Amino acid sequence: VFAEEEAQLLLGAAAGSAEELERLVVARVGGMPLEPLLGWAEFCGLRIVVEPGVFVPRRRTELLAECALEAVRSSVHATAGDAVAAVDLCCGTGAVGAVLQARGGGRVEVHAADLDAAAVANARRNIRPPENVHEGDLYDALPERLRGRVDVLAVNAPYVPTAAIATMPPEARDHEAAMALDGGDDGLDIQRRVVAGASGWLSPRGVLLIETSEEQSPLTAALLREAGLLPEIRRDDDRDATIVIGRTGTTQFL
Ligand SMILES: C[S@@+](CC[C@H](N)C(=O)[O-])C[C@H]1O[C@@H](n2cnc3c(N)ncnc32)[C@H](O)[C@@H]1O
């Protein structure tokens, strides 16, 4: 946002209290990201609750949410009356899942999961019912009854190579958990585990959508291919967004 707009947002958040405004401005000048100070971020036209320390949903991740929504709608269309199950894995605030819930129609059952207890608490304020937000390591967090039943698996796992974290803006480096950023030596450690486990959770018509960087996308696509999924890279230059979509051999849509 522009500086004038940011000033207006902080004034609004302070709600007329000079002391609160002072606190917000001091924190902002100290490098705290705007969104946890306001308590929300705009994402795909929704107002998402953002708590301090939790990864702030990025504009680029709207591509993941939009394509996952497309997959949810196709799945709803392809099934006659059954509920469609969608999972936002590594959910952070749960922004992606919240979009699927708000826009996917009444038949979508959204679940979300994260390893970080702070992210889980935050996502429980954005996704209903809160019990559908699970805490734990990747798929270990999910209820057993979802095994083999997930129609849309949307994932924005950490993918920054460890050595590149030092080059990130201080807003991210100092105010977001390392666990939310660090993807290991080549950035793909968590993606590898996500992709390796996906086929056990996807339904026969299931689709995996995974955010990555433009440079890493051929490697992410190769991981999907090795796991028996048909990968397609989608890129949006305007938002510097890249995702890889993996379809099972039987997927008829997207
Ligand atoms: C890049 S952030 C993305 C958050 C959210 N999906 C978004 O796009 O705004 C990655 C998230 O993955 C979570 N995470 C990291 N390792 C994980 C693991 N092994 N299992 C589950 N979640 C994990 C982090 O806590 C963080 O919330």
Side-chain angles (χ1 to χ4, degrees):
V1 297
F2 294 110
E4 296 81 358
E5 198 184 334
E6 180 163 335
Q8 284 305 322
L9 288 167
L10 290 173
L11 277 166
S17 156
E19 267 173 30
E20 180 60 2
L21 185 61
E22 166 91 7
R23 188 189 71 78
L24 293 172
V25 170
V26 167
R28 185 72 185 114
V29 170
M32 179 90 150
L34 178 64
E35 293 83 353
L37 283 174
L38 299 176
W40 57 271
E42 203 234 283
F43 185 80
C44 289
L46 298 181
R47 196 176 264 222
I48 302 294
V49 175
V50 179
E51 295 180 346
V54 179
F55 186 88
V56 175
R58 308 294 204 263
R59 190 65 60 214
R60 68 166 59 88
T61 303
E62 290 183 344
L63 178 67
L64 176 70
E66 289 163 7
C67 293
L69 184 58
E70 204 183 314
V72 162
R73 287 177 175 157
S74 300
S75 198
V76 166
H77 189 69
T79 56
D82 298 347
V84 164
V87 171
D88 176 0
L89 194 63
C90 297
C91 65
T93 61
V96 172
V99 171
L100 303 183
Q101 186 152 64
R103 307 260 158 78
R107 274 211 277 135
V108 63
E109 176 184 330
V110 175
H111 290 260
D114 203 286
L115 182 57
D116 180 3
V120 169
N122 188 153
R124 285 184 174 147
R125 298 180 63 194
N126 289 314
I127 288 178
R128 294 279 168 271
E131 304 80 64
N132 280 14
V133 183
H134 313 282
E135 183 178 339
D137 183 25
L138 300 183
Y139 302 102
D140 290 355
L142 298 179
E144 264 308 302
R145 69 179 179 82
L146 287 181
R147 198 180 278 278
R149 273 203 50 223
V150 177
D151 301 306
V152 179
L153 179 57
V155 192
N156 180 18
Y159 56 83
V160 182
T162 307
I165 290 177
T167 66
M168 292 185 79
E171 284 189 356
R173 212 175 55 214
D174 300 338
H175 295 276
E176 290 177 321
M179 188 203 293
L181 306 173
D182 194 346
D185 280 353
D186 65 355
L188 299 175
D189 282 4
I190 311 219
Q191 287 191 5
R192 266 188 205 94
R193 293 174 54 217
V194 167
V195 174
S199 57
W201 292 87
L202 287 173
S203 72
R205 58 170 183 260
V207 182
L208 168 66
L209 304 98
I210 189 159
E211 181 175 312
T212 192
S213 69
E214 187 173 23
E215 304 73 51
Q216 289 164 321
S217 58
L219 298 171
T220 305
L223 293 177
L224 268 65
R225 204 172 294 110
E226 280 161 28
L229 296 167
L230 302 172
E232 179 204 328
I233 297 172
R234 286 206 192 168
R235 170 79 189 156
D236 176 347
D237 286 331
D238 289 346
R239 291 182 285 195
D240 186 22
T242 309
I243 66 165
V244 182
I245 301 173
R247 300 174 184 82
T248 58
T250 55
T251 307
Q252 298 294 316
F253 51 85
L254 258 180

